[in-house]
Amino acid sequence: MRFVETLKPWNGRLNHVNWFKVMIRPFILFAYPSVLWSTTVYSLSIGWLIVLSESVAHIYRDKDTYSFSALGTGLVYLSPFIGGVLGTAVAGKVSDIIIRFMSRRNGGIYEPEFRLVMALPVAFSTAAGLMGFGWSAQERDAWIVPTIFFGIISFGCSLGSTTAITFCVDSYRQYAGEALVTLNFSKSASPTNPPLQSSASCFLLFVPNLMNTNVGDRRLPRPSILPLLRRLA
């Protein structure tokens, strides 16, 4: 094939698999344990950041807590940005070092399950960050305390999402494209999944007073997604 021919916008179909099979395959992959575990971890990693993002403005701009301006509240997101960058870097570099070490111990044979070792720091950093963020916000600690814990949460969520993707793709390389579709579908549908409902309930245990606001002598509900998550849970 000449170079000019490669510039054509249409070169025919590269794969002649039935369209219906291609469409239904991402849903069939939910029956695979590795994909199911990866979708759960990936959905929770994204879901936690969504839940926290909905609460940050209520926590930092409330006059009874930190009374930040809109600019100051926006700068709080520098913490999860740094945590996310570090989490992504650590997830790739450290995970590769671990799987090379374990492959040598396994006679030079690589197993996708070696990636699961990273689930330990994911669980620890995410749980510590969530509990620390909610607790420090409720106790009205110095603003830097929940901000640091926010970064720790982002660090753990980045570890979790990266670990989930690499483990899923390594487990079924022949279905890597469909597996990524499955992960993204589960992420989009996660607000109705039981794992995220339970997660929202746990988060609300630590921040029970952020659902309402005072207007004169009345207490009115804040326009937030968190009451919706409370009802779903």
Side-chain angles (χ1 to χ4, degrees), residues 48-49 52 125-126 129-130 133 149-158:
W48 277 127
L49 293 178
L52 290 178
S125 58
T126 305
L130 288 170
F133 180 85
F149 279 115
F150 195 10
I152 295 175
I153 296 169
S154 180
F155 175 82
C157 289
S158 297

Side-chain angles (χ1 to χ4, degrees), residues 64-146:
D64 296 330
T65 53
Y66 304 113
S67 190
F68 274 25
S69 64
L71 176 60
T73 304
L75 291 175
V76 169
Y77 284 91
L78 287 174
S79 176
F81 171 75
I82 296 173
V85 171
L86 292 177
T88 303
V90 169
K93 186 66 175 178
V94 175
S95 179
D96 289 343
I97 293 175
I98 292 175
I99 63 174
R100 283 197 294 267
F101 171 77
M102 297 183 71
S103 296
R104 288 194 297 268
R105 296 289 300 271
N106 196 38
I109 300 175
Y110 166 70
E111 298 287 348
E113 286 74 15
F114 295 162
R115 298 279 186 185
L116 295 178
V117 176
M118 296 300 297
L120 295 176
V122 170
F124 176 79
S125 58
T126 305
L130 288 170
M131 293 183 66
F133 180 85
W135 207 330
S136 60
Q138 182 175 348
E139 295 298 323
R140 292 176 171 81
D141 291 333
W143 65 269
I144 192 63
V145 179

Side-chain angles (χ1 to χ4, degrees), residues 14 34 38 45 50 64 74 84 92 96-97 103 105 113 116 126 130 142 152 180 195 205 208 210 212 228-229:
L14 301 178
S34 299
S38 297
S45 297
I50 294 174
D64 296 330
D96 289 343
I97 293 175
S103 296
R105 296 289 300 271
E113 286 74 15
L116 295 178
T126 305
L130 288 170
I152 295 175
L180 293 177
L205 289 175
L210 296 178
N212 299 299
L228 174 60
L229 292 175

Side-chain angles (χ1 to χ4, degrees), residues 1-11:
M1 179 180 293
R2 295 180 301 174
F3 174 74
V4 177
E5 294 177 345
T6 63
L7 299 179
K8 292 181 180 180
W10 173 257
N11 290 311

Side-chain angles (χ1 to χ4, degrees), residues 137-220:
Q138 182 175 348
E139 295 298 323
R140 292 176 171 81
D141 291 333
W143 65 269
I144 192 63
V145 179
T147 303
I148 292 176
F149 279 115
F150 195 10
I152 295 175
I153 296 169
S154 180
F155 175 82
C157 289
S158 297
L159 278 178
S161 59
T162 304
T163 300
I165 292 174
T166 53
F167 174 61
C168 184
V169 171
D170 287 354
S171 297
Y172 305 103
R173 289 184 180 275
Q174 67 273 31
Y175 300 129
E178 292 85 349
L180 293 177
V181 174
T182 304
L183 290 174
N184 283 282
F185 174 81
S186 66
K187 174 194 68 175
S188 301
S190 60
T192 58
N193 285 348
L196 187 56
Q197 295 173 14
S198 301
S199 302
S201 300
C202 294
F203 179 78
L204 294 176
L205 289 175
F206 292 97
V207 196
N209 299 320
L210 296 178
M211 299 299 99
N212 299 299
T213 182
N214 291 319
V215 178
D217 295 331
R218 297 178 300 167
R219 295 183 65 84
L220 300 177

